[in-house]
Amino acid sequence: MSSPWVQASAPGRVNLIGEHTDYNGGFVLPTAIPQRTWATLRVRADRDVSVVSEQASAPGHYTLGSEQRRGDWLDYVQGLTWALANDGADLKSGFELRLTSDVPLGAGLSSSASLEIAVLRAIRQAFDLPQADDVRLAQLGQIAENEFVGARCGIMDQMAASLADTTTALFLDTRSLTSRRVALPAQADLVVIHSGVSHGLAGGEYNTRRGECERAAAQLGVPQLRDLTAADMPRLDALQEPLGRRARHVLSEDERVLHAVAALEAADLARLGELFYQSHRSMRDDFEVSVPEVDLLVELGQADADVYGARLTGGGFGGSVVMLARQGMGGPTARRIAETYAAQSGRQPKVLVPPPQT
């Protein structure tokens, strides 16, 4: 008699503010989006793992204990069983896995973390791993992505996929992993528009930025850039370029997260919107992770009377923008901006939040 199928899912995320701060030990403020990844899993009698993804042209296969990096999508699953084994989990047998997702790839919305947490939740259920709580699942997903896949991401994406929901923002200290939920303002609509320019975090630029931050911290004599305070800002000018600007972004972005939480709690949307614009300028000029198409979307948002604020969200080098629009105006505003952007850029944007009404 064959084992029963189990199913689990996890959402993508949009980061409201706090970009490139997580691998520096700082603060982030993501929220979940409606799009999710679904993992349907059945335990096998042997040690083989068979994976079918609707987004892949061919299935993937490997054997537990023989995981080897291939440089393709299957590495995200292999990395998880590799990380579980290193964590002391004995899966005893392989499994069949089916993956479906409507979290867009390359949009800066954590499609990989959504997959990782969905698969880990399915494995936890099928193999009865009660010791793997939601925070531990996030840590295992990050280990898989850092050490097996080769993308040196921080832990925000996995924590958001594991803990966040669509009605609150997750205020997370990425050093202590303590978090609390902050209600999203009822007076505003969340808007997410994909620029049509895809990115890949396993590529060199993201890892380069992390290395620059680590070098800046070492030269400043602190364990992580999180340990800097506003009083340290003058010291950044002594760093060689571009390390000073990289550190300035992280230091100021951490402060912006704290101000954004206060603005959310006070329902001060004008202040929150200005923090969005400050964050985008910092990412564009100091951290240099934006692209002209994303800048154009932010400029169109800033020119729109129904938008409080707009910024690049995610790791950068393409991807999506997040905006706050007036209550009830999210859909019309997003469509209006997307149409203007398409005409001016020649790109095909996609409005992801609010989801198109069927």
Side-chain angles (χ1 to χ4, degrees):
M1 181 175 170
S2 61
S3 299
W5 290 95
V6 300
Q7 188 176 68
S9 70
R13 69 97 187 95
V14 62
N15 192 25
L16 300 180
I17 199 164
E19 224 67 74
H20 292 273
T21 52
D22 59 346
Y23 55 78
N24 289 294
F27 303 109
V28 294
L29 192 66
T31 186
I33 58 175
Q35 291 84 358
R36 303 182 73 87
T37 298
W38 294 87
T40 307
L41 184 148
R42 180 170 65 184
V43 176
R44 296 171 59 110
D46 54 26
R47 303 270 304 166
D48 290 341
V49 176
S50 174
V51 188
V52 175
S53 170
E54 65 176 10
Q55 294 174 310
S57 58
H61 302 276
Y62 68 96
T63 301
L64 286 181
S66 299
E67 293 88 348
Q68 290 188 335
R69 184 177 174 186
R70 302 172 11 152
D72 63 15
W73 66 273
L74 189 63
D75 287 351
Y76 289 91
V77 180
Q78 289 195 95
L80 297 175
T81 54
W82 172 85
L84 280 164
N86 288 344
D87 198 49
D90 183 8
L91 299 188
K92 299 186 183 300
S93 62
F95 51 85
E96 297 175 45
L97 176 64
R98 300 172 183 170
L99 297 171
T100 61
S101 182
D102 58 0
V103 182
L105 302 177
L109 301 173
S110 298
S111 58
S112 58
S114 175
L115 180 152
E116 290 155 9
I117 300 303
V119 172
L120 285 169
R121 284 174 170 171
I123 290 174
R124 178 173 63 183
Q125 182 178 347
F127 290 93
D128 190 21
L129 302 177
Q131 73 277 15
D133 63 17
D134 289 343
V135 171
R136 188 58 190 157
L137 291 192
Q139 292 173 315
L140 290 168
Q142 186 199 20
I143 290 168
E145 196 152 350
N146 284 185
E147 300 180 18
F148 195 92
V149 176
R152 300 184 66 210
C153 62
I155 200 166
M156 171 183 67
D157 294 352
Q158 290 81 11
M159 286 289 284
S162 192
L163 298 178
D165 59 49
T166 58
T167 63
T168 62
L170 185 72
F171 175 39
L172 172 67
D173 180 333
T174 64
R175 173 174 288 176
S176 66
L177 297 187
T178 57
S179 64
R180 65 181 175 89
R181 301 181 191 276
V182 182
L184 294 174
Q187 306 94 322
D189 289 353
L190 198 65
V191 170
V192 180
I193 304 174
H194 181 20
S195 66
V197 180
S198 295
H199 72 160
L201 291 189
E205 285 296 329
Y206 184 92
N207 289 346
T208 295
R209 291 298 182 279
R210 180 163 182 167
E212 290 168 342
C213 289
E214 290 169 352
R215 283 161 49 207
Q219 291 183 24
L220 290 164
V222 293
Q224 290 180 296
L225 293 181
R226 154 72 180 273
D227 297 295
L228 299 175
T229 68
D232 292 303
M233 192 69 80
R235 300 176 59 206
L236 307 187
D237 294 333
L239 296 177
Q240 66 186 66
E241 282 298 319
L243 301 188
R245 287 186 290 119
R246 304 299 189 249
R248 184 168 61 197
H249 165 74
V250 174
L251 196 165
S252 61
E253 187 80 347
D254 269 334
E255 291 183 341
R256 281 188 288 270
V257 175
L258 300 179
H259 292 314
V261 171
L264 269 179
E265 292 175 333
D268 188 345
L269 297 177
R271 173 63 173 151
L272 187 59
E274 177 52 35
L275 290 166
F276 273 33
Y277 291 127
Q278 290 177 14
S279 174
H280 183 77
R281 289 191 293 269
S282 182
M283 293 174 73
R284 181 192 65 198
D285 301 335
D286 282 346
F287 221 67
E288 297 182 288
V289 293
S290 192
V291 296
E293 292 87 347
V294 169
D295 293 340
L296 174 59
L297 273 171
V298 172
E299 290 163 10
L300 292 172
Q302 194 158 15
D304 195 294
D306 288 323
V307 174
Y308 294 105
R311 61 180 291 277
L312 166 64
T313 187
F317 311 106
S320 301
V321 297
V322 59
M323 302 181 181
L324 284 177
R326 295 187 189 280
Q327 183 180 13
M329 294 302 296
T333 300
R335 290 190 294 272
R336 182 170 64 243
I337 290 174
E339 289 171 4
T340 304
Y341 167 80
Q344 293 188 19
S345 70
R347 295 279 186 175
Q348 289 302 312
K350 186 172 183 180
V351 176
L352 299 168
V353 180
Q357 294 186 352
T358 56

